[in-house]
Amino acid sequence: MRFEKLSVTLVGSEYPINVGYTARLLKNFGVRKLYLIEPNFDRRVASVYAAHGSDVLDSAEETDFDALRAAHDLLVATTAVTAIRRANVNRLSVPPEEMAGYVASSKSASLVFGRDTTGLRNDELARCDLTTSISTGTDYRTLNVSHSIGILLYVLSRSPAVKRRLPRLDERDVFASYAYDLAVAAGLQKHRAERLGQLARRMTLRSQLDGKEIGLLVSLLRRATRAISEQKEQKEQKQKQTAADQVRSKT
């Protein structure tokens, strides 16, 4: 796999040694772009550890999740804390080898790594399209961030480029939005509706549906939401009319 359209994003980095080693790894594998979100480290110290990758560090761009999202077709979150329950949508992860197929099929992708000590928060995982995790085969799953980057870049460099049909980001967003609207109309609690919307977005990514197929599903969701809303309005109007009739009958 070639890495011209791949970047790496570090969120909340504090340890310059890890950032320096990250820049060095990116140079090793030919990844040209490093993004930094809320960095809190000494660049001069990090440059020492970057060695011949110091140019990658020098050109690293500070950004935020909104700008990162706008610049990439695919954001891949990384975590050592995977879901125990299926309801924890954001931490449902795919193996690195499967993740490689999505990256190879995207127009532009970024691997997003969390803080040196606590990793990515749930809300940050939710901003990404896919989550991957490295299995150590032991109960001690947490790897140093630079070690994780090295392993994932190696997997990407060695994995066959199995192409997938990835729906466009706007198609995924529209489908997720209508799934959320339908859940709300059906009476689900807000946090459950939000979870369903997140799940819908990830489902479209893994579905390999094309734009026309997603459009048909969106139309179905829209019609179902409208039908439920109309039924609710009719029920409320009927209740109001019944109450008004009761008041008139008493007078």
Side-chain angles (χ1 to χ4, degrees):
M1 185 184 302
R2 303 180 67 180
F3 289 151
E4 288 86 351
K5 297 181 180 179
L6 178 70
S7 69
V8 167
T9 300
L10 299 180
V11 179
S13 296
E14 296 182 3
Y15 301 156
I17 185 173
N18 286 338
V19 179
Y21 284 158
T22 294
R24 182 173 179 173
L25 281 164
L26 267 58
K27 186 75 170 184
N28 288 146
F29 285 95
V31 179
R32 300 172 183 174
K33 194 64 181 177
L34 174 62
Y35 290 97
L36 303 171
I37 296 179
E38 299 177 2
N40 185 28
F41 64 92
D42 189 328
R43 286 208 183 208
R44 293 172 299 178
V45 177
S47 183
V48 174
Y49 294 101
H52 292 293
S54 59
D55 60 320
V56 175
L57 180 59
D58 291 340
S59 62
E61 180 181 336
E62 287 193 32
T63 188
D64 56 33
F65 263 103
D66 288 337
L68 188 73
R69 170 76 283 172
H72 294 86
D73 181 48
L74 182 72
L75 296 182
V76 180
T78 58
T79 183
V81 183
T82 55
I84 297 176
R85 297 180 296 110
R86 298 292 296 178
N88 193 351
V89 175
N90 296 324
R91 293 190 183 274
L92 293 175
S93 64
V94 300
E97 294 79 7
E98 182 178 343
M99 175 270 295
Y102 292 99
V103 172
S105 305
S106 65
K107 296 178 181 178
S108 59
S110 188
L111 303 181
V112 185
F113 296 84
R115 296 158 189 81
D116 305 276
T117 53
T118 58
L120 293 169
R121 300 190 304 263
N122 281 332
D123 64 300
E124 293 165 340
L125 289 168
R127 301 293 299 272
C128 299
D129 305 295
L130 196 68
T131 301
T132 192
S133 181
I134 299 168
S135 176
T136 63
T138 69
D139 293 334
Y140 188 28
R141 296 175 57 90
T142 305
L143 294 168
N144 177 279
V145 63
S146 64
H147 292 56
S148 298
I149 292 170
I151 292 170
L152 291 183
L153 291 180
Y154 179 80
V155 170
L156 287 171
S157 70
R158 292 294 181 267
S159 295
V162 179
K163 291 291 185 178
R164 292 177 174 269
R165 178 189 291 167
L166 298 188
R168 298 197 315 267
L169 179 60
D170 62 318
E171 295 170 340
R172 287 177 255 155
D173 286 343
V174 168
F175 183 79
S177 176
Y178 277 105
Y180 171 81
D181 289 344
L182 178 59
V184 171
L188 268 67
Q189 294 175 314
K190 183 178 179 181
H191 73 279
R192 292 183 180 275
E194 289 175 345
R195 185 188 303 157
L196 183 62
Q198 293 166 1
L199 179 60
R201 180 179 287 106
R202 297 197 175 206
M203 283 173 56
T204 56
L205 181 70
R206 303 181 70 176
S207 67
Q208 300 198 61
L209 297 173
D210 62 24
K212 183 177 180 180
E213 291 166 333
I214 291 178
L216 290 172
L217 291 175
V218 166
S219 178
L220 176 62
L221 293 176
R222 183 170 55 244
R223 288 172 180 265
T225 302
R226 185 183 304 157
I228 292 174
S229 299
E230 289 174 352
Q231 287 179 355
K232 285 183 176 181
E233 289 178 4
Q234 291 172 0
K235 183 177 180 180
E236 290 174 357
Q237 290 175 358
K238 186 176 181 179
Q239 289 173 341
K240 289 179 181 179
Q241 184 63 49
T242 300
D245 291 343
Q246 290 174 347
V247 170
R248 283 195 295 269
S249 65
K250 290 179 181 181
T251 58

